[in-house]
Amino acid sequence: MVELLVRPLADAFMQVGVYVAVLVALFGWLRWRYGSRVTDGLTRHPRLGPLVGALLGVSPGCGGAIILMPLYARGKVSFGTVVAALASTMGDSSWVVIAADPDFALKIHALLFAVGLATGYTVDLLGIDPARALHRPAVRRESEPGPVDIPAAGPTVTAAPGQRAALALLTRPAPVVERQRRMSTAFWGLTTPAFLVSVPVVFHVVDPSLLSAPLGGVDPYLILGCAGTFVAVLIFAAGRGRFADDTLETAQPRTVRDALRHSAHEASFITFWVAVAYLGWQILSTTTGFDGSQLALAGAAGVIVGALIGLIPGCAVQIVFTGIYVSGGLPVTTLVANAISQDGDALIPLAALRRRAAALATLITTVPAILVGLTLLLFLS
């Protein structure tokens, strides 16, 4: 029972959650400290757009890519910049790969950067931009409704009144933020000792039995891991179980406290879905003997399936998909196709601001996902 249920729940937090929390907090601090410099420089040098877009997109998480969406809506960056960010981002599933295999994570992120860079400049070279007409100055008739200011990371963005409902999904009500702020304090209070236990165990520095001996046989790895996953589930539930955890607000935190709060929420979000993947896979493989080889997810079919799953907005499904890969249930070619195709949470604010652009962007990133996946398949064969 321990190996079937308890171990996967503990591993989700101890092998992924604690490291995600630390890394997200670090990147959140960097975005808080230097984020505006990046976006200001980008608007001054538009030719560097796809390059900067690929760099922001390839950074772990969704925040880097989200920053660009309001800039595109205002016509400050090109459509190729947006596509470069979406093609190079692996969303929150990048944290899962980084925690499980840092060496492989470096390789796949380098590949994502190259693909995003090439795709972004190709889009700009071909002059593709579904919102070009909207970016041109136009005379508005008095009978037409005026624009509405959109709270966003960086410059102010305007949108038609019909977009208010969609934009409401991108910000969090104050009571929810305050509740998550209190819960994040508890999360960090648990994460600190969990991190100190996880590092020597995960990296095989000490034998786990040596840690449990002074505690009368109680395994601190399992106790802290299950407790951490439980707290993560509570924070996830407090956020109403959203399938996307990044917003325009969290892309550029205003204070260090906000960065810590968001890192706790994002780590909880990822931990929840990793636990779903780990636990589901463990139960399935133990009870049926299924190890993934029976699925048609290898070869060209696997590449296409991975790319099509990447069309699903948000990070939840992609985190589960990546968790199955980490568990040994998917080939690398399928993961690569999915990583290029998926757009993370960045597609959601883009869809709220420019629906046609969002639809076209996610279709465009599917093309290199299939091509690169099939090329890698031929190379590995």
Side-chain angles (χ1 to χ4, degrees), residues 330-376:
L330 296 175
V332 65
T333 50
T334 301
L335 179 70
V336 167
N338 175 261
I340 297 173
S341 177
Q342 66 162 290
D343 304 315
D345 293 340
L347 190 68
I348 297 173
L350 179 60
L353 299 170
R354 298 286 183 263
R355 284 190 292 270
R356 288 182 56 196
L360 181 59
T362 193
L363 290 176
I364 289 176
T365 57
T366 306
V367 175
I370 295 176
L371 293 178
V372 173
L374 292 176
T375 301
L376 183 62

Side-chain angles (χ1 to χ4, degrees), residues 23 27 31 56-64 91-92 94-95 98 109 266:
L23 290 171
F27 276 86
R31 285 199 297 267
L56 289 173
V58 81
S59 61
C62 302
D92 289 339
S94 60
W95 300 116
I98 291 172
H109 280 82
E266 184 162 0

